[in-house]
Amino acid sequence: DAGVIQSPRHEVTEMGQEVTLRCKPISGHDYLFWYRQTMMRGLELLIYFNNNVPIDDSGMPEDRFSAKMPNASFSTLKIQPSEPRDSAVYFCASSSWTGLNTEAFFGQGTRLTVV
Amino acid sequence: EDKVVQSPLSLVVHEGDTVTLNCSYEVTNFRSLLWYKQEKKAPTFLFMLTSSGIEKKSGRLSSILDKKELFSILNITATQTGDSAVYLCAVEVTSGTYKYIFGTGTRLKVLA
């Protein structure tokens, strides 16, 4: 498996524009997590899905953020409208509830810059 | 609120030194504690700890968990410049489903 795949790797956008980040989890994994990483706050959990169903979105900072998982192999995180304070690295991670080895595997991240 | 705290925030050592990184936690429904290494890209998995007092080792890295005192340490012996990275501690919590709460990390720099 190629691992967790995120796109784009880098995104530069102007304030007010819509931004869509994409993630393809590892095949067979039933959990998908979206994290945001900044120097000040570290890795913050934004939302996570189990079997494509959103379980906990309490980490989503505002209504400007939304996430979907239409099927087991694809998820999006959308920011509309974007603001400069949204600049960060956004990671997608997936894992499998095997009962033994449940570590999360991370994608390479999307570095978002809002100017 | 679930909380994971790492210390120190940053550390600079010389090659050959031994370092100890700390992770303490306050969470409900603890399942396991994980250590990750992050260089300039995605965090990569190092260890998962579920039982107190049992050391996990991988080469020069080792880690142990104390579930009574709610902390873990990550030791790196004979450090090398390639060990320079951010080391992240995460706690897996479960209540039907499960998720990972991360600390802010310890930034380690190893000088030649």
Side-chain angles (χ1 to χ4, degrees):
Chain A
D1 200 314
V4 177
I5 299 172
Q6 290 187 246
S7 64
R9 293 291 306 277
H10 303 273
E11 176 83 33
V12 181
T13 191
E14 291 186 347
M15 183 172 64
Q17 296 298 306
E18 177 179 297
V19 175
T20 299
L21 312 181
R22 297 172 176 79
C23 175
K24 181 182 187 318
I26 291 173
S27 177
H29 281 189
D30 53 350
Y31 279 83
L32 183 140
F33 305 85
W34 281 102
Y35 287 89
R36 176 172 69 177
Q37 187 175 40
T38 60
M39 287 291 290
M40 290 297 294
R41 301 172 69 91
L43 264 171
E44 301 174 275
L45 178 62
L46 301 177
I47 184 171
Y48 73 101
F49 296 82
N50 176 216
N51 292 321
N52 314 338
V53 176
I55 301 300
D56 183 352
D57 66 355
S58 59
M60 298 283 260
E62 298 172 32
D63 290 346
R64 299 182 297 104
F65 286 70
S66 63
K68 293 182 180 179
M69 192 166 186
N71 58 61
S73 59
F74 184 64
S75 177
T76 59
L77 178 68
K78 186 177 293 187
I79 308 172
Q80 163 67 15
S82 58
E83 297 183 3
R85 60 192 165 125
D86 302 330
S87 298
V89 180
Y90 290 81
F91 284 104
C92 174
S94 70
S95 65
S96 175
W97 180 257
T98 65
L100 284 175
N101 299 315
T102 54
E103 69 267 26
F105 295 82
F106 282 79
Q108 294 298 302
T110 295
R111 181 174 295 278
L112 173 65
T113 304
V114 184
V115 297
Chain B
E1 184 183 342
D2 294 333
K3 189 167 59 173
V4 178
V5 178
Q6 292 185 247
S7 64
L9 289 180
S10 64
L11 194 53
V12 180
V13 301
H14 289 92
E15 270 193 320
D17 288 349
T18 293
V19 298
T20 298
L21 310 183
N22 304 292
C23 176
S24 63
Y25 60 92
E26 289 180 35
V27 302
T28 53
N29 299 316
F30 173 92
R31 185 177 185 274
S32 70
L33 186 143
L34 301 91
W35 285 97
Y36 284 81
K37 178 182 182 182
Q38 184 178 26
E39 296 170 270
K40 292 185 178 179
K41 43 190 180 183
T44 53
F45 173 74
L46 295 174
F47 296 113
M48 173 182 276
L49 303 152
T50 55
S51 301
S52 272
I54 298 175
E55 185 182 54
K56 291 224 172 171
K57 276 183 76 81
S58 176
R60 296 175 295 101
L61 278 65
S62 64
S63 184
I64 198 160
L65 173 67
D66 186 327
K67 289 168 73 173
K68 182 180 176 186
E69 300 298 327
L70 307 183
F71 78 92
S72 172
I73 59 172
L74 175 68
N75 280 319
I76 309 174
T77 59
T79 51
Q80 301 171 357
T81 55
D83 295 327
S84 297
V86 174
Y87 290 84
L88 296 164
C89 170
V91 171
E92 184 184 12
V93 297
T94 179
S95 54
T97 61
Y98 72 102
K99 62 183 180 181
Y100 311 91
I101 309 298
F102 279 82
T104 51
T106 293
R107 184 173 297 276
L108 173 66
K109 187 168 181 60
V110 182
L111 302 175

